[in-house]
């Protein structure tokens, strides 16, 4: 299911403290997502690409992820230039493409790709468990973090149970068709999955009670901030500051 | 140490699992339980841990009658239950946190918990697994960590629900060695494998 494929790697980005990666990612994402300055957005995308290159991730995998969001952006390019209004850029039959519309679509493209790439390079390069710990250290509410983590942890188990059930209906000659029999079978399958996950949650809770659970979770991992982490943090903050300056028009 | 007197228990759907059931377990016992499916072996464990309440009868553990949930807090601290399905038991991100969960709940400091984790893993021959991600372990490794998590609380009694199920020959051998040579606790084992039960217990009860 979620295989954390990007998290397996040895680049300098993989070795950074996940807390700092989360902080820098959040700051960058906010600035880029709210920014409108084309120069800033282009530079952000270039920075994202540079980070991606130095993380040494499997390029085809990254491309696959990027294609998914660009699929939606593709349609924006069909709609926005012709509906936005403003100075005419060119005409296509009865349709008028506006300069402002094209820039708007361009901004959306740069923005979403830059943010997506930064998240892939900075966040997806840490394991989920490391990220959970990072979020706890950053004072995100304990309940939220554990909710997230338990969802992730048991998604695997649930996925396996779904596969088991699905295999068993396939092995007994089930073919998916349009018809009441197929719908009913799928409804049973999903119903069964609900019951199983409910029962699983009961057992997990019981197991926790048996080990003296009193409503408090503990984390044991210690993160150590190294020299390189400081360099990353400072460079990251400088980049964020530079983007804000560009956005506000203070430079250029 | 554990005494069940005239226990009756019905499932919510009305099926009687235990009827006027009596059971005694004393210090030093190494007891095997064997019985057909649905004979109430897992139910018995859950009754002892206070996860289920009997319809009738008395449960006396460590010389005290146990009725309310609060009565069972002490029981859960001193009796360790190993679940049949390891995925029910392992929910922490890392092995270290998994094993430390019990000791920390008992009020141990992080430093003490860390020591306990180290010792327990060493006892089970799982040194160096501290930072491993629990859900990426193999089935046999998961079972070992689940046992470690229970042992880390230093319980007086262990209740083991099908500890051999799903283990390969090598891990089964390891489990037998652990039960026979590495732990000092009294225990009750539920299993369908009579041959293995004979190797690790002193007597076997048929339910």
């Amino acid at each position: 299911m979620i295989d954390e494929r990007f998290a397996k790697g040895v680049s300098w980005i993989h070795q950074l403290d996940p807390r700092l990666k989360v902080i820098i990612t959040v700051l960058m994402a906010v600035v880029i997502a709210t920014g409108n300055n084309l120069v800033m957005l282009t530079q952000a995308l270039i920075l994202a690409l540079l980070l991606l290159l130095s993380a040494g991730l499997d390029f085809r995998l990254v491309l696959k992820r990027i294609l998914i969001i660009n699929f939606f952006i593709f349609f924006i390019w069909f709609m926005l230039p012709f509906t936005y209004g403003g100075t005419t850029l060119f005409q296509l039959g009865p349709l008028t493409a506006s300069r402002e519309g094209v820039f708007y679509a361009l901004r959306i493209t740069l923005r979403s790709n830059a943010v997506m790439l930064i998240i892939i390079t900075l966040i997806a390069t840490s394991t989920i468990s490391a990220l959970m710990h990072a979020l706890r250290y950053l004072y995100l509410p304990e309940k939220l973090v554990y909710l997230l983590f338990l969802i992730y942890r048991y998604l695997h188990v649930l996925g396996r149970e779904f596969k088991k059930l699905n295999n068993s209906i396939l092995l007994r000659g089930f073919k998916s068709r349009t018809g009441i029999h197929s719908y009913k079978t799928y409804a049973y399958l999903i119903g069964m999955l609900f019951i199983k996950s409910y029962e699983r949650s009961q057992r997990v809770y019981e197991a926790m009670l048996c080990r003296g659970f009193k409503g408090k979770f503990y984390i044991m991992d210690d993160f150590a901030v190294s020299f390189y982490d400081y360099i990353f943090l400072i460079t990251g903050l400088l980049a964020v500051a530079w983007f804000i300056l560009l956005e506000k028009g203070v430079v250029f | 140490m554990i005494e069940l007197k005239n226990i009756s228990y019905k499932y919510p759907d009305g099926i009687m699992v235990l009827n006027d059931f009596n059971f005694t377990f004393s210090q030093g016992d190494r007891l095997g339980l064997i019985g057909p499916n649905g004979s109430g072996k897992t139910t018995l464990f859950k009754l002892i841990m206070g996860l289920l309440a009997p319809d009738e009868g008395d449960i006396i553990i460590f010389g005290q009658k146990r009725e309310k949930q609060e009565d069972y807090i002490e029981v859960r601290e001193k009796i360790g239950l190993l679940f049949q399905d390891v995925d029910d038991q392992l929910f922490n991100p890392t092995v270290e946190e998994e094993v430390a969960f019990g000791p920390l709940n008992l009020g141990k400091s992080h430093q003490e918990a860390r020591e306990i984790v180290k010792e327990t893993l060493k006892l089970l021959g799982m040194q160096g697994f501290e930072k491993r991600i629990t859900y990426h372990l193999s089935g046999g490794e998961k079972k070992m960590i689940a046992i470690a998590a229970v042992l880390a609380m230093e319980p007086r009694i262990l209740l083991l629900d099908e500890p051999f199920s799903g283990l390969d020959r090598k891990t089964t051998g390891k489990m037998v060695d652990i039960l026979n040579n590495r732990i000092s606790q009294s225990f009750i084992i539920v299993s369908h494998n009579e041959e293995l039960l004979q190797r690790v217990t002193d007597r076997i009860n048929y339910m």
Side-chain angles (χ1 to χ4, degrees):
Chain A
M1 295 194 87
I2 305 170
D3 44 15
E4 302 178 274
R5 246 182 290 183
F6 293 135
K8 297 180 191 98
V10 287
S11 76
W12 65 278
I13 291 187
H14 287 90
Q15 284 158 28
L16 288 173
D17 188 316
R19 288 172 299 181
L20 302 182
K21 292 207 267 189
V22 170
I23 293 172
I24 295 295
T25 307
V26 169
L27 289 176
M28 290 245 181
V30 169
V31 172
I32 295 169
T34 53
N36 281 314
N37 186 306
L38 269 176
V39 180
M40 186 275 276
L41 290 174
T42 314
Q43 289 193 9
L45 185 63
I46 292 168
L47 177 73
L49 283 169
L50 288 175
L51 280 173
L52 178 69
L53 276 177
S54 70
L57 299 175
D58 182 350
F59 230 76
R60 278 179 41 212
L61 260 169
V62 177
L63 206 66
K64 244 192 215 166
R65 304 254 168 119
I66 285 295
L67 273 180
I68 299 171
I69 53 159
N70 282 295
F71 175 76
F72 293 100
I73 291 170
F74 183 70
F75 289 103
I76 288 175
W77 278 94
F78 274 107
M79 302 288 296
L80 262 183
F82 304 105
T83 52
Y84 199 74
T87 36
T88 308
L89 195 66
F90 62 89
Q91 281 202 313
L92 212 77
L95 298 169
T96 319
S98 73
R99 221 177 102 86
E100 285 80 358
V102 169
F103 278 132
Y104 201 81
L106 184 64
R107 268 188 218 116
I108 292 177
T109 313
L110 291 172
R111 212 182 269 151
S112 32
N113 279 295
V115 172
M116 191 70 188
L117 285 177
I118 286 175
I119 289 177
I120 288 177
T121 34
L122 291 186
I123 299 294
T125 47
S126 291
T127 59
I128 300 270
S129 94
L131 287 173
M132 295 298 150
H133 289 158
L135 293 177
R136 274 295 286 133
Y137 273 107
L138 294 174
Y139 295 101
L140 208 75
E142 181 176 73
K143 277 184 184 136
L144 268 182
V145 175
Y146 270 88
L147 194 66
L148 260 172
F149 176 71
L150 289 176
I151 288 173
Y152 171 72
R153 164 72 179 87
Y154 286 101
L155 209 59
H156 287 268
V157 178
L158 212 63
R160 214 166 51 223
E161 262 159 18
F162 170 80
K163 232 181 250 162
K164 256 193 249 167
L165 289 172
N166 197 34
N167 284 344
S168 88
I169 63 171
L170 291 178
L171 287 174
R172 282 188 283 163
F174 174 78
K175 285 179 203 78
S176 179
R177 290 197 196 93
T178 312
I180 198 77
H181 174 66
S182 281
Y183 296 152
K184 223 167 135 179
T185 309
Y186 281 124
Y188 283 161
L189 198 155
I190 291 164
M192 209 49 166
L193 216 53
F194 273 125
I195 294 170
K196 279 187 173 224
S197 18
Y198 174 72
E199 287 184 339
R200 167 84 59 186
S201 71
Q202 291 284 316
R203 290 198 303 272
V204 172
Y205 182 61
E206 285 176 358
M208 287 162 76
L209 280 183
C210 283
R211 281 157 70 200
F213 179 61
K214 293 181 190 88
K216 175 129 183 58
F217 292 102
Y218 304 88
I219 38 175
M220 298 281 288
D221 251 5
D222 301 313
F223 292 124
V225 183
S226 73
F227 176 65
Y228 295 104
D229 287 318
Y230 282 117
I231 294 185
F232 168 74
L233 181 68
I234 291 164
T235 324
L237 289 175
L238 284 176
V240 170
W242 174 250
F243 289 157
I244 294 174
L245 289 180
L246 281 174
E247 172 65 25
K248 294 286 173 206
V250 182
V251 280
F252 285 104
Chain B
M1 289 200 282
I2 302 176
E3 210 181 341
L4 271 63
K5 279 191 196 155
N6 312 103
I7 293 289
S8 295
Y9 181 79
K10 275 200 289 290
Y11 283 137
D13 55 13
I15 296 171
M16 186 78 96
V17 230
L18 297 173
N19 191 8
D20 205 11
F21 180 82
N22 287 287
F23 177 83
T24 335
F25 182 82
S26 0
Q27 175 87 47
D29 271 359
R30 297 153 64 90
L31 172 70
L33 283 182
I34 220 164
N37 294 329
S39 59
K41 301 177 302 273
T42 302
T43 306
L44 174 67
F45 280 179
K46 286 194 172 181
L47 285 168
I48 293 173
M49 299 302 280
L51 299 174
L52 294 175
D55 296 320
E56 269 169 69
D58 294 329
I59 298 177
I60 298 145
I61 299 174
F62 304 128
Q64 237 178 312
K65 203 170 156 195
R66 311 283 167 171
E67 282 170 311
K68 294 184 295 290
Q69 278 298 307
E70 298 89 78
D71 300 338
Y72 281 100
I73 292 176
E74 190 204 350
V75 172
R76 288 168 189 161
E77 287 175 356
K78 293 182 179 163
I79 302 183
L81 169 60
L82 180 77
F83 277 60
Q84 196 168 340
D85 185 345
V86 283
D87 276 321
D88 291 339
Q89 203 151 2
L90 306 181
F91 68 93
N92 284 279
T94 65
V95 167
E96 184 174 50
E97 282 165 317
E98 190 65 59
V99 181
F101 181 73
L104 289 172
N105 284 333
L106 294 180
K108 297 265 196 281
S109 74
H110 275 224
Q111 197 45 47
E112 288 169 318
R114 230 178 233 125
E115 281 301 310
I116 294 173
V117 172
K118 224 173 140 195
E119 278 165 32
T120 317
L121 290 181
K122 201 175 156 208
L123 177 76
L124 300 180
M126 302 294 283
Q127 312 78 320
F129 271 68
E130 280 90 342
K131 297 295 173 199
R132 293 281 291 275
I133 309 289
T134 42
Y135 46 86
H136 287 164
L137 299 176
S138 75
E141 289 167 343
K142 276 187 189 169
K143 200 77 164 188
M144 286 298 145
I145 299 307
I147 284 253
V150 173
L151 285 177
M153 297 181 73
E154 292 161 10
R156 290 167 62 182
I157 306 173
L158 296 174
L159 308 180
L160 310 167
D161 198 348
E162 295 283 0
F164 304 110
S165 73
L167 298 187
D168 61 18
R169 192 205 287 253
K170 200 176 143 217
T171 322
T172 305
K174 207 174 158 190
M175 186 67 89
V176 169
D177 174 49
I178 287 168
L179 294 175
N180 278 339
N181 307 319
R182 301 201 189 188
I183 59 167
S184 54
Q185 279 91 349
S186 322
F187 54 75
I188 309 175
I189 301 185
V190 159
S191 173
H192 286 296
N193 193 326
E194 197 165 348
E195 191 218 316
L196 283 172
L197 274 187
Q198 273 164 355
R199 283 171 62 190
V200 293
T201 59
D202 300 327
R203 65 188 171 98
I204 296 179
N205 272 12
Y206 296 85
M207 282 183 80

